Amino acid sequence: MAKTANTELTEVSEAQIAVHWKEEAYYQPSEKFKAQANMRDPHILEKFGLDKFPDCFREYADMLTWFEPYRTVLDTSDAPFWKWFVGGKINASYNCVDRHLAKHADKAAFIFVPEPEDQPHLAITYQELYTRVNELAALLSGLGLKAGDRVTFHMPMVPELPITMLACARLGIIHSQVFGGFSGQACGSRIHDSGSRVLVTMDGYWRNGSLIDHKANADIAVRAAKDLGQAVDKVLVWQRYPGTYSAKTPMVPGRDFFMNDLLKEYTGRTVEPVALPSEGPLFLMYSSGTTGKPKGAQHSIAGYLSYVTATSKWILDIHPEDVYWCMADIGWITGHSYIVYGPLAIAATSVLYEGVPTFPDAGRPWRIAERLGVNIFHTAPTAIRMLRKLGPQEPRKYKYRFKSMTTVGEPIEPEAWRWYYDEVGKREAVITDTWWLTETGGFLGVTVPAIHPMKPGSCGPGAPGIHPVIYDETGAEVPKGSGKAGNICIRNPWPGIMQTIWGDRDRYVKTYFSKYNRNPRSKDWRDWPFMCGDGAVQAADGYYRILGRIDDVINVAGHRLGTKEIESACLTVPEVAEAAVVPVADEVKGRVPEVYIAIKPGVQPSQDVIDRVIRAIEEVIGKIARPKHVYIVPDMPKTRSGKIMRRVLASISNRRDVGDVTTLANPDVVEQIRALVQGKDAIATKEELPEDIAQFGQAE
Ligand code: WTA
């Protein structure tokens, strides 16, 4: 298929090379776990077979309470913009809060754990959640906000974040939470893209022992949005300690308001949840891709909510009496789906922890688990690797007992998996390795925990009703057990799939469908496999192993960062002529970015330039994107047509042999760069690169 300049099509011919991998042994769920599980039907995958599609998903819709029933399960008339449960009227806030009051009013919806260990945790019951969501919805409505308006949040991990989400959902306001660790500028560009006139933030929050002045970011965000052409009229500021201002940055009169002050007028007010169409948008979640511009994944109310509800019940196996703790940040999709919407829809008690897992030491998570009686634990491989490194025996010191555990966001090495199983899970807890994306709303590849055995390093088969397929470059299916990798796609739509990229229908079609679409005019879903953007290999037993992104996105500690975004941040430093960012393998974070820059003629290389490049990255994106190294190079390795060979740089950064570079325009520079990075005498290893790094730079 022809490539056009600004598409995100990928060429991954190397993905088809054989992937050598020792098959891991299975682990079985315990009889005790199986006996209590929500989903015990051994035929569940057949019940959600393609021959039953799409009607099988009625069962998901039935888990929700509807104001008006839907008429059509799946409407494909505007393919590939799928519409689920069309004709129905529903409200997400009602489903997550109101409908639980009859049975669970006094049960904790959230238990908030502040980072400072001497500050008490705070339980918020469903009744209290109802009161707070209603008062806030009344306030938002009083400000003139209504269904379809967008509001951007830049909030930390505090209960006010889900409360604000649910207040928006009650009115049909589309929320767009930007991860709290992103910079003010990154927030500003997302405000602009979504067209938000209101920003919700918090004065400060605890992170690694300090109370951070977060309000400062709001001022930067508003300015950045304005420069791009989007005015923000109001900044609504939650106070970390109500009644006290925890930031030093002044409030701007007429623009900035303390939420707690405004709320005084709305005490005791209730707002009827608006009966919204099923396919109304619930929220936007920005994510990185091949280009420098983040894309706003738009998720629907009914399809999304039904999907996260069913998977929270069947895969996370949450029962109302469980205490569930997902350590992800609500600022990412995992938090939206599996801290807020999914668990609340099934009346879970969910722990919300403000801070860093290793603060003040690597025993913290296990103390929280012991004290609060957590029995379902959900985290990412980066946290597992970090906790293992800093406190391999810490879990033994605490008396918590997990029945099930989850991992999400990155591939997990079998070794880290086994520590998680043996030490954290104490050989009792099942592990579900959940593979999915911002765009997919919920799990794609996963074991149903009481039914499928676990296999370290593999996520498992497709989730119920998800039918993955691996295609090679020509669109031929890569058979299971072949040991060959390719592009993993999903054959069919499912209720949790994003609706579109906010404001960019073309990019949605190009990014996810154009490579394997069989007929652009087709209204038949069979012609529109969804391309996930990951390389994968399927073992003979049907289990998938995910190899990582193929679109120049680096997965840093489970956070998706676009290398083009980092490169354009580097170019804001005037001395920088060219920048190239590559992934380097890291023991704890999985992958981290390394930066190569060429400076303009006449400028002397200096530490000062390097420092300013790092600062620029932190300002434009955030500290999470901070590079491991910045190298100033005499020139970039280039093809004769002038393209930077990022793959050569990736090999150098990862201490690998660069291979044959004689066809480059400037092969000599490669040795100079190699010596700079690896040292004059360093001998690069011949070992193969991890698949995602080996493929790096091919998506251009
Ligand atoms: C990666 C996070 C291996 C993958 C929910 C995907 C994983 C990207 C797994 C999406 C897993 C996620 N095993 N890799 N269990 N889960 N990934 O959008 O590369 O932040 O494409 O969504 O994370 O990241 P995102």
PDB file of all heavy atoms in Angstrom, residues 287 332-334 381 407-412 433-439 445 457 459 532-534 545-549 555 558-560, ligand 1:
ATOM      1  N   SER A 287      -3.479  10.699  23.634  1.00  0.00           N
ATOM      2  CA  SER A 287      -2.419   9.698  23.602  1.00  0.00           C
ATOM      3  C   SER A 287      -1.487  10.011  22.443  1.00  0.00           C
ATOM      4  O   SER A 287      -1.863  10.719  21.511  1.00  0.00           O
ATOM      5  CB  SER A 287      -3.058   8.321  23.429  1.00  0.00           C
ATOM      6  OG  SER A 287      -2.051   7.343  23.509  1.00  0.00           O
ATOM      7  N   TRP A 332      -4.452   8.395  33.182  1.00  0.00           N
ATOM      8  CA  TRP A 332      -4.288   7.529  32.022  1.00  0.00           C
ATOM      9  C   TRP A 332      -5.537   6.684  31.861  1.00  0.00           C
ATOM     10  O   TRP A 332      -6.359   6.592  32.762  1.00  0.00           O
ATOM     11  CB  TRP A 332      -3.073   6.607  32.199  1.00  0.00           C
ATOM     12  CG  TRP A 332      -1.797   7.335  32.445  1.00  0.00           C
ATOM     13  CD1 TRP A 332      -1.166   7.478  33.649  1.00  0.00           C
ATOM     14  CD2 TRP A 332      -0.979   8.028  31.481  1.00  0.00           C
ATOM     15  NE1 TRP A 332      -0.008   8.209  33.484  1.00  0.00           N
ATOM     16  CE2 TRP A 332       0.127   8.560  32.168  1.00  0.00           C
ATOM     17  CE3 TRP A 332      -1.090   8.249  30.107  1.00  0.00           C
ATOM     18  CZ2 TRP A 332       1.126   9.299  31.534  1.00  0.00           C
ATOM     19  CZ3 TRP A 332      -0.097   8.978  29.470  1.00  0.00           C
ATOM     20  CH2 TRP A 332       0.994   9.494  30.177  1.00  0.00           C
ATOM     21  N   ILE A 333      -5.624   6.004  30.740  1.00  0.00           N
ATOM     22  CA  ILE A 333      -6.845   5.246  30.458  1.00  0.00           C
ATOM     23  C   ILE A 333      -7.087   4.162  31.510  1.00  0.00           C
ATOM     24  O   ILE A 333      -8.225   3.878  31.868  1.00  0.00           O
ATOM     25  CB  ILE A 333      -6.812   4.644  29.026  1.00  0.00           C
ATOM     26  CG1 ILE A 333      -8.192   4.111  28.620  1.00  0.00           C
ATOM     27  CG2 ILE A 333      -5.757   3.558  28.914  1.00  0.00           C
ATOM     28  CD1 ILE A 333      -9.235   5.151  28.384  1.00  0.00           C
ATOM     29  N   THR A 334      -6.029   3.549  32.027  1.00  0.00           N
ATOM     30  CA  THR A 334      -6.238   2.482  33.009  1.00  0.00           C
ATOM     31  C   THR A 334      -7.032   2.998  34.201  1.00  0.00           C
ATOM     32  O   THR A 334      -7.931   2.332  34.706  1.00  0.00           O
ATOM     33  CB  THR A 334      -4.884   1.904  33.483  1.00  0.00           C
ATOM     34  OG1 THR A 334      -4.192   1.419  32.339  1.00  0.00           O
ATOM     35  CG2 THR A 334      -5.069   0.785  34.476  1.00  0.00           C
ATOM     36  N   PRO A 381       4.141  -3.335  35.138  1.00  0.00           N
ATOM     37  CA  PRO A 381       5.459  -3.960  35.271  1.00  0.00           C
ATOM     38  C   PRO A 381       6.537  -3.028  35.836  1.00  0.00           C
ATOM     39  O   PRO A 381       7.385  -3.467  36.608  1.00  0.00           O
ATOM     40  CB  PRO A 381       5.790  -4.386  33.836  1.00  0.00           C
ATOM     41  CG  PRO A 381       4.453  -4.652  33.226  1.00  0.00           C
ATOM     42  CD  PRO A 381       3.539  -3.613  33.817  1.00  0.00           C
ATOM     43  N   THR A 407      -1.555  -7.083  35.765  1.00  0.00           N
ATOM     44  CA  THR A 407      -0.478  -6.248  35.258  1.00  0.00           C
ATOM     45  C   THR A 407      -0.937  -5.625  33.946  1.00  0.00           C
ATOM     46  O   THR A 407      -1.717  -6.213  33.208  1.00  0.00           O
ATOM     47  CB  THR A 407       0.881  -6.999  35.142  1.00  0.00           C
ATOM     48  OG1 THR A 407       1.585  -6.483  34.018  1.00  0.00           O
ATOM     49  CG2 THR A 407       0.728  -8.457  35.008  1.00  0.00           C
ATOM     50  N   VAL A 408      -0.484  -4.415  33.692  1.00  0.00           N
ATOM     51  CA  VAL A 408      -0.972  -3.663  32.542  1.00  0.00           C
ATOM     52  C   VAL A 408       0.072  -2.669  32.055  1.00  0.00           C
ATOM     53  O   VAL A 408       0.868  -2.177  32.836  1.00  0.00           O
ATOM     54  CB  VAL A 408      -2.261  -2.880  32.897  1.00  0.00           C
ATOM     55  CG1 VAL A 408      -2.026  -1.862  33.992  1.00  0.00           C
ATOM     56  CG2 VAL A 408      -2.851  -2.183  31.669  1.00  0.00           C
ATOM     57  N   GLY A 409       0.052  -2.398  30.787  1.00  0.00           N
ATOM     58  CA  GLY A 409       0.772  -1.242  30.263  1.00  0.00           C
ATOM     59  C   GLY A 409       2.059  -1.516  29.541  1.00  0.00           C
ATOM     60  O   GLY A 409       2.487  -0.725  28.710  1.00  0.00           O
ATOM     61  N   GLU A 410       2.712  -2.634  29.838  1.00  0.00           N
ATOM     62  CA  GLU A 410       3.989  -2.959  29.190  1.00  0.00           C
ATOM     63  C   GLU A 410       4.115  -4.477  29.188  1.00  0.00           C
ATOM     64  O   GLU A 410       3.499  -5.141  30.012  1.00  0.00           O
ATOM     65  CB  GLU A 410       5.186  -2.484  30.020  1.00  0.00           C
ATOM     66  CG  GLU A 410       5.251  -1.070  30.417  1.00  0.00           C
ATOM     67  CD  GLU A 410       6.136  -0.981  31.659  1.00  0.00           C
ATOM     68  OE1 GLU A 410       7.357  -1.184  31.537  1.00  0.00           O
ATOM     69  OE2 GLU A 410       5.609  -0.737  32.747  1.00  0.00           O
ATOM     70  N   PRO A 411       4.997  -4.966  28.327  1.00  0.00           N
ATOM     71  CA  PRO A 411       5.299  -6.396  28.424  1.00  0.00           C
ATOM     72  C   PRO A 411       6.001  -6.666  29.765  1.00  0.00           C
ATOM     73  O   PRO A 411       6.774  -5.829  30.228  1.00  0.00           O
ATOM     74  CB  PRO A 411       6.275  -6.630  27.268  1.00  0.00           C
ATOM     75  CG  PRO A 411       6.117  -5.453  26.359  1.00  0.00           C
ATOM     76  CD  PRO A 411       5.700  -4.309  27.234  1.00  0.00           C
ATOM     77  N   ILE A 412       5.686  -7.782  30.381  1.00  0.00           N
ATOM     78  CA  ILE A 412       6.364  -8.125  31.636  1.00  0.00           C
ATOM     79  C   ILE A 412       7.294  -9.301  31.380  1.00  0.00           C
ATOM     80  O   ILE A 412       6.902 -10.290  30.749  1.00  0.00           O
ATOM     81  CB  ILE A 412       5.346  -8.396  32.774  1.00  0.00           C
ATOM     82  CG1 ILE A 412       6.077  -8.698  34.080  1.00  0.00           C
ATOM     83  CG2 ILE A 412       4.359  -9.513  32.430  1.00  0.00           C
ATOM     84  CD1 ILE A 412       5.183  -8.606  35.314  1.00  0.00           C
ATOM     85  N   ASP A 433      -2.574 -10.775  32.991  1.00  0.00           N
ATOM     86  CA  ASP A 433      -1.753  -9.827  32.248  1.00  0.00           C
ATOM     87  C   ASP A 433      -2.688  -9.226  31.202  1.00  0.00           C
ATOM     88  O   ASP A 433      -3.144  -9.922  30.297  1.00  0.00           O
ATOM     89  CB  ASP A 433      -0.594 -10.595  31.606  1.00  0.00           C
ATOM     90  CG  ASP A 433       0.342  -9.697  30.824  1.00  0.00           C
ATOM     91  OD1 ASP A 433      -0.029  -8.556  30.498  1.00  0.00           O
ATOM     92  OD2 ASP A 433       1.458 -10.153  30.506  1.00  0.00           O
ATOM     93  N   THR A 434      -2.999  -7.952  31.361  1.00  0.00           N
ATOM     94  CA  THR A 434      -4.037  -7.341  30.526  1.00  0.00           C
ATOM     95  C   THR A 434      -3.409  -6.457  29.468  1.00  0.00           C
ATOM     96  O   THR A 434      -2.793  -5.454  29.777  1.00  0.00           O
ATOM     97  CB  THR A 434      -5.003  -6.505  31.385  1.00  0.00           C
ATOM     98  OG1 THR A 434      -4.302  -5.400  31.960  1.00  0.00           O
ATOM     99  CG2 THR A 434      -5.606  -7.331  32.500  1.00  0.00           C
ATOM    100  N   TRP A 435      -3.584  -6.849  28.226  1.00  0.00           N
ATOM    101  CA  TRP A 435      -3.054  -6.045  27.112  1.00  0.00           C
ATOM    102  C   TRP A 435      -4.178  -5.265  26.464  1.00  0.00           C
ATOM    103  O   TRP A 435      -5.208  -5.833  26.112  1.00  0.00           O
ATOM    104  CB  TRP A 435      -2.380  -6.947  26.079  1.00  0.00           C
ATOM    105  CG  TRP A 435      -2.160  -6.228  24.787  1.00  0.00           C
ATOM    106  CD1 TRP A 435      -1.303  -5.181  24.571  1.00  0.00           C
ATOM    107  CD2 TRP A 435      -2.833  -6.454  23.546  1.00  0.00           C
ATOM    108  NE1 TRP A 435      -1.405  -4.748  23.271  1.00  0.00           N
ATOM    109  CE2 TRP A 435      -2.337  -5.510  22.621  1.00  0.00           C
ATOM    110  CE3 TRP A 435      -3.813  -7.350  23.130  1.00  0.00           C
ATOM    111  CZ2 TRP A 435      -2.788  -5.445  21.295  1.00  0.00           C
ATOM    112  CZ3 TRP A 435      -4.266  -7.292  21.819  1.00  0.00           C
ATOM    113  CH2 TRP A 435      -3.738  -6.350  20.914  1.00  0.00           C
ATOM    114  N   TRP A 436      -3.989  -3.984  26.319  1.00  0.00           N
ATOM    115  CA  TRP A 436      -4.975  -3.107  25.663  1.00  0.00           C
ATOM    116  C   TRP A 436      -4.378  -1.735  25.474  1.00  0.00           C
ATOM    117  O   TRP A 436      -3.202  -1.534  25.778  1.00  0.00           O
ATOM    118  CB  TRP A 436      -6.293  -3.069  26.441  1.00  0.00           C
ATOM    119  CG  TRP A 436      -6.192  -2.605  27.874  1.00  0.00           C
ATOM    120  CD1 TRP A 436      -5.525  -3.216  28.898  1.00  0.00           C
ATOM    121  CD2 TRP A 436      -6.772  -1.430  28.449  1.00  0.00           C
ATOM    122  NE1 TRP A 436      -5.661  -2.513  30.066  1.00  0.00           N
ATOM    123  CE2 TRP A 436      -6.431  -1.411  29.819  1.00  0.00           C
ATOM    124  CE3 TRP A 436      -7.579  -0.409  27.955  1.00  0.00           C
ATOM    125  CZ2 TRP A 436      -6.843  -0.395  30.686  1.00  0.00           C
ATOM    126  CZ3 TRP A 436      -7.997   0.591  28.826  1.00  0.00           C
ATOM    127  CH2 TRP A 436      -7.625   0.597  30.166  1.00  0.00           C
ATOM    128  N   LEU A 437      -5.181  -0.788  24.994  1.00  0.00           N
ATOM    129  CA  LEU A 437      -4.691   0.549  24.639  1.00  0.00           C
ATOM    130  C   LEU A 437      -5.716   1.614  25.031  1.00  0.00           C
ATOM    131  O   LEU A 437      -6.906   1.306  25.151  1.00  0.00           O
ATOM    132  CB  LEU A 437      -4.538   0.687  23.128  1.00  0.00           C
ATOM    133  CG  LEU A 437      -3.497  -0.010  22.307  1.00  0.00           C
ATOM    134  CD1 LEU A 437      -3.745  -1.507  22.217  1.00  0.00           C
ATOM    135  CD2 LEU A 437      -3.490   0.557  20.900  1.00  0.00           C
ATOM    136  N   THR A 438      -5.234   2.840  25.115  1.00  0.00           N
ATOM    137  CA  THR A 438      -6.122   3.985  25.321  1.00  0.00           C
ATOM    138  C   THR A 438      -7.316   3.919  24.369  1.00  0.00           C
ATOM    139  O   THR A 438      -8.455   4.169  24.747  1.00  0.00           O
ATOM    140  CB  THR A 438      -5.331   5.282  25.034  1.00  0.00           C
ATOM    141  OG1 THR A 438      -4.218   5.333  25.911  1.00  0.00           O
ATOM    142  CG2 THR A 438      -6.188   6.514  25.201  1.00  0.00           C
ATOM    143  N   GLU A 439      -7.023   3.576  23.124  1.00  0.00           N
ATOM    144  CA  GLU A 439      -8.037   3.603  22.076  1.00  0.00           C
ATOM    145  C   GLU A 439      -9.088   2.509  22.237  1.00  0.00           C
ATOM    146  O   GLU A 439     -10.149   2.578  21.625  1.00  0.00           O
ATOM    147  CB  GLU A 439      -7.362   3.398  20.709  1.00  0.00           C
ATOM    148  CG  GLU A 439      -6.443   4.533  20.280  1.00  0.00           C
ATOM    149  CD  GLU A 439      -4.996   4.374  20.759  1.00  0.00           C
ATOM    150  OE1 GLU A 439      -4.788   3.767  21.841  1.00  0.00           O
ATOM    151  OE2 GLU A 439      -4.099   4.848  20.064  1.00  0.00           O
ATOM    152  N   GLY A 445      -6.441  -8.418  25.169  1.00  0.00           N
ATOM    153  CA  GLY A 445      -5.823  -9.737  25.298  1.00  0.00           C
ATOM    154  C   GLY A 445      -5.636 -10.033  26.767  1.00  0.00           C
ATOM    155  O   GLY A 445      -4.982  -9.266  27.470  1.00  0.00           O
ATOM    156  N   GLY A 457       4.597 -13.720  30.825  1.00  0.00           N
ATOM    157  CA  GLY A 457       5.071 -13.004  29.642  1.00  0.00           C
ATOM    158  C   GLY A 457       4.091 -12.963  28.488  1.00  0.00           C
ATOM    159  O   GLY A 457       4.309 -12.245  27.521  1.00  0.00           O
ATOM    160  N   CYS A 459      -0.037 -12.374  27.367  1.00  0.00           N
ATOM    161  CA  CYS A 459      -1.284 -11.859  27.954  1.00  0.00           C
ATOM    162  C   CYS A 459      -2.384 -12.912  27.921  1.00  0.00           C
ATOM    163  O   CYS A 459      -3.259 -12.903  28.771  1.00  0.00           O
ATOM    164  CB  CYS A 459      -1.716 -10.566  27.269  1.00  0.00           C
ATOM    165  SG  CYS A 459      -2.036 -10.723  25.509  1.00  0.00           S
ATOM    166  N   CYS A 532      -3.803  -2.289  16.001  1.00  0.00           N
ATOM    167  CA  CYS A 532      -3.520  -1.793  17.347  1.00  0.00           C
ATOM    168  C   CYS A 532      -2.221  -1.001  17.433  1.00  0.00           C
ATOM    169  O   CYS A 532      -2.058  -0.183  18.333  1.00  0.00           O
ATOM    170  CB  CYS A 532      -3.450  -2.968  18.325  1.00  0.00           C
ATOM    171  SG  CYS A 532      -4.977  -3.916  18.366  1.00  0.00           S
ATOM    172  N   GLY A 533      -1.277  -1.266  16.523  1.00  0.00           N
ATOM    173  CA  GLY A 533       0.002  -0.561  16.612  1.00  0.00           C
ATOM    174  C   GLY A 533       1.048  -1.307  17.415  1.00  0.00           C
ATOM    175  O   GLY A 533       2.086  -0.750  17.753  1.00  0.00           O
ATOM    176  N   ASP A 534       0.774  -2.561  17.728  1.00  0.00           N
ATOM    177  CA  ASP A 534       1.751  -3.392  18.432  1.00  0.00           C
ATOM    178  C   ASP A 534       2.204  -4.536  17.534  1.00  0.00           C
ATOM    179  O   ASP A 534       1.410  -5.070  16.750  1.00  0.00           O
ATOM    180  CB  ASP A 534       1.125  -4.014  19.687  1.00  0.00           C
ATOM    181  CG  ASP A 534       1.123  -3.064  20.877  1.00  0.00           C
ATOM    182  OD1 ASP A 534       2.168  -2.445  21.123  1.00  0.00           O
ATOM    183  OD2 ASP A 534       0.083  -2.952  21.540  1.00  0.00           O
ATOM    184  N   ARG A 545       1.781 -12.950  22.677  1.00  0.00           N
ATOM    185  CA  ARG A 545       2.833 -12.244  23.399  1.00  0.00           C
ATOM    186  C   ARG A 545       3.036 -10.923  22.664  1.00  0.00           C
ATOM    187  O   ARG A 545       3.249 -10.893  21.445  1.00  0.00           O
ATOM    188  CB  ARG A 545       4.123 -13.047  23.402  1.00  0.00           C
ATOM    189  CG  ARG A 545       5.147 -12.475  24.360  1.00  0.00           C
ATOM    190  CD  ARG A 545       6.191 -13.520  24.695  1.00  0.00           C
ATOM    191  NE  ARG A 545       6.963 -13.908  23.529  1.00  0.00           N
ATOM    192  CZ  ARG A 545       8.008 -13.226  23.086  1.00  0.00           C
ATOM    193  NH1 ARG A 545       8.409 -12.142  23.694  1.00  0.00           N
ATOM    194  NH2 ARG A 545       8.658 -13.630  22.015  1.00  0.00           N
ATOM    195  N   ILE A 546       2.926  -9.849  23.420  1.00  0.00           N
ATOM    196  CA  ILE A 546       2.994  -8.515  22.822  1.00  0.00           C
ATOM    197  C   ILE A 546       4.446  -8.047  22.844  1.00  0.00           C
ATOM    198  O   ILE A 546       5.108  -8.100  23.872  1.00  0.00           O
ATOM    199  CB  ILE A 546       2.097  -7.534  23.606  1.00  0.00           C
ATOM    200  CG1 ILE A 546       0.656  -8.053  23.666  1.00  0.00           C
ATOM    201  CG2 ILE A 546       2.166  -6.134  23.010  1.00  0.00           C
ATOM    202  CD1 ILE A 546      -0.007  -8.287  22.330  1.00  0.00           C
ATOM    203  N   LEU A 547       4.919  -7.608  21.674  1.00  0.00           N
ATOM    204  CA  LEU A 547       6.336  -7.236  21.574  1.00  0.00           C
ATOM    205  C   LEU A 547       6.561  -5.745  21.726  1.00  0.00           C
ATOM    206  O   LEU A 547       7.673  -5.305  21.952  1.00  0.00           O
ATOM    207  CB  LEU A 547       6.878  -7.696  20.218  1.00  0.00           C
ATOM    208  CG  LEU A 547       6.698  -9.194  19.950  1.00  0.00           C
ATOM    209  CD1 LEU A 547       7.029  -9.529  18.509  1.00  0.00           C
ATOM    210  CD2 LEU A 547       7.565 -10.013  20.897  1.00  0.00           C
ATOM    211  N   GLY A 548       5.511  -4.950  21.587  1.00  0.00           N
ATOM    212  CA  GLY A 548       5.669  -3.512  21.801  1.00  0.00           C
ATOM    213  C   GLY A 548       5.264  -2.692  20.589  1.00  0.00           C
ATOM    214  O   GLY A 548       4.926  -3.228  19.532  1.00  0.00           O
ATOM    215  N   ARG A 549       5.296  -1.381  20.754  1.00  0.00           N
ATOM    216  CA  ARG A 549       4.799  -0.443  19.758  1.00  0.00           C
ATOM    217  C   ARG A 549       5.633  -0.491  18.482  1.00  0.00           C
ATOM    218  O   ARG A 549       6.847  -0.673  18.523  1.00  0.00           O
ATOM    219  CB  ARG A 549       4.830   0.986  20.305  1.00  0.00           C
ATOM    220  CG  ARG A 549       4.030   1.212  21.554  1.00  0.00           C
ATOM    221  CD  ARG A 549       2.556   1.146  21.374  1.00  0.00           C
ATOM    222  NE  ARG A 549       2.083   1.898  20.224  1.00  0.00           N
ATOM    223  CZ  ARG A 549       0.802   1.885  19.821  1.00  0.00           C
ATOM    224  NH1 ARG A 549      -0.090   1.135  20.451  1.00  0.00           N
ATOM    225  NH2 ARG A 549       0.425   2.589  18.788  1.00  0.00           N
ATOM    226  N   ASN A 555       7.389   3.441  25.183  1.00  0.00           N
ATOM    227  CA  ASN A 555       6.588   3.135  26.357  1.00  0.00           C
ATOM    228  C   ASN A 555       7.480   3.260  27.586  1.00  0.00           C
ATOM    229  O   ASN A 555       8.159   2.327  27.985  1.00  0.00           O
ATOM    230  CB  ASN A 555       6.037   1.716  26.190  1.00  0.00           C
ATOM    231  CG  ASN A 555       4.948   1.413  27.190  1.00  0.00           C
ATOM    232  OD1 ASN A 555       4.886   2.019  28.257  1.00  0.00           O
ATOM    233  ND2 ASN A 555       4.094   0.457  26.862  1.00  0.00           N
ATOM    234  N   GLY A 558       5.430   2.487  31.234  1.00  0.00           N
ATOM    235  CA  GLY A 558       3.999   2.323  30.956  1.00  0.00           C
ATOM    236  C   GLY A 558       3.346   3.588  30.431  1.00  0.00           C
ATOM    237  O   GLY A 558       2.154   3.609  30.190  1.00  0.00           O
ATOM    238  N   HIS A 559       4.107   4.663  30.236  1.00  0.00           N
ATOM    239  CA  HIS A 559       3.535   5.892  29.679  1.00  0.00           C
ATOM    240  C   HIS A 559       3.922   5.998  28.212  1.00  0.00           C
ATOM    241  O   HIS A 559       5.092   5.920  27.868  1.00  0.00           O
ATOM    242  CB  HIS A 559       4.051   7.133  30.407  1.00  0.00           C
ATOM    243  CG  HIS A 559       3.908   7.075  31.887  1.00  0.00           C
ATOM    244  ND1 HIS A 559       2.783   6.599  32.501  1.00  0.00           N
ATOM    245  CD2 HIS A 559       4.752   7.433  32.879  1.00  0.00           C
ATOM    246  CE1 HIS A 559       2.936   6.675  33.809  1.00  0.00           C
ATOM    247  NE2 HIS A 559       4.126   7.163  34.070  1.00  0.00           N
ATOM    248  N   ARG A 560       2.932   6.238  27.383  1.00  0.00           N
ATOM    249  CA  ARG A 560       3.184   6.292  25.946  1.00  0.00           C
ATOM    250  C   ARG A 560       3.672   7.673  25.548  1.00  0.00           C
ATOM    251  O   ARG A 560       2.929   8.630  25.650  1.00  0.00           O
ATOM    252  CB  ARG A 560       1.852   6.030  25.261  1.00  0.00           C
ATOM    253  CG  ARG A 560       1.831   4.841  24.391  1.00  0.00           C
ATOM    254  CD  ARG A 560       0.402   4.541  24.056  1.00  0.00           C
ATOM    255  NE  ARG A 560       0.058   4.991  22.731  1.00  0.00           N
ATOM    256  CZ  ARG A 560      -1.121   4.722  22.178  1.00  0.00           C
ATOM    257  NH1 ARG A 560      -2.042   4.062  22.856  1.00  0.00           N
ATOM    258  NH2 ARG A 560      -1.379   5.133  20.970  1.00  0.00           N
TER     259      ARG A 560
HETATM  260  C1  WTA B   1       1.516  -1.567  25.729  1.00  0.00           C
HETATM  261  C2  WTA B   1      -2.462   1.227  28.370  1.00  0.00           C
HETATM  262  C3  WTA B   1       2.427  -5.754  26.783  1.00  0.00           C
HETATM  263  C4  WTA B   1       1.283  -1.853  24.272  1.00  0.00           C
HETATM  264  C5  WTA B   1      -3.612   0.316  28.763  1.00  0.00           C
HETATM  265  C6  WTA B   1       0.125  -0.940  23.933  1.00  0.00           C
HETATM  266  C7  WTA B   1       1.241  -3.792  26.835  1.00  0.00           C
HETATM  267  C8  WTA B   1       0.395   0.267  24.783  1.00  0.00           C
HETATM  268  C9  WTA B   1       0.334  -4.348  27.767  1.00  0.00           C
HETATM  269  C10 WTA B   1      -0.847   1.037  25.105  1.00  0.00           C
HETATM  270  C11 WTA B   1       0.566  -5.690  28.213  1.00  0.00           C
HETATM  271  C12 WTA B   1      -0.299  -2.330  27.290  1.00  0.00           C
HETATM  272  N1  WTA B   1       1.617  -6.342  27.691  1.00  0.00           N
HETATM  273  N2  WTA B   1       2.275  -4.500  26.355  1.00  0.00           N
HETATM  274  N3  WTA B   1      -0.202  -6.288  29.121  1.00  0.00           N
HETATM  275  N4  WTA B   1      -0.599  -3.410  28.031  1.00  0.00           N
HETATM  276  N5  WTA B   1       0.826  -2.537  26.587  1.00  0.00           N
HETATM  277  O1  WTA B   1      -2.496   3.526  25.427  1.00  0.00           O
HETATM  278  O2  WTA B   1       2.430  -1.513  23.540  1.00  0.00           O
HETATM  279  O3  WTA B   1      -1.206   3.854  27.566  1.00  0.00           O
HETATM  280  O4  WTA B   1       0.071  -0.606  22.575  1.00  0.00           O
HETATM  281  O5  WTA B   1      -2.794   1.955  27.240  1.00  0.00           O
HETATM  282  O6  WTA B   1       0.988  -0.259  25.969  1.00  0.00           O
HETATM  283  O7  WTA B   1      -0.591   2.032  26.047  1.00  0.00           O
HETATM  284  P1  WTA B   1      -1.771   2.936  26.574  1.00  0.00           P
END
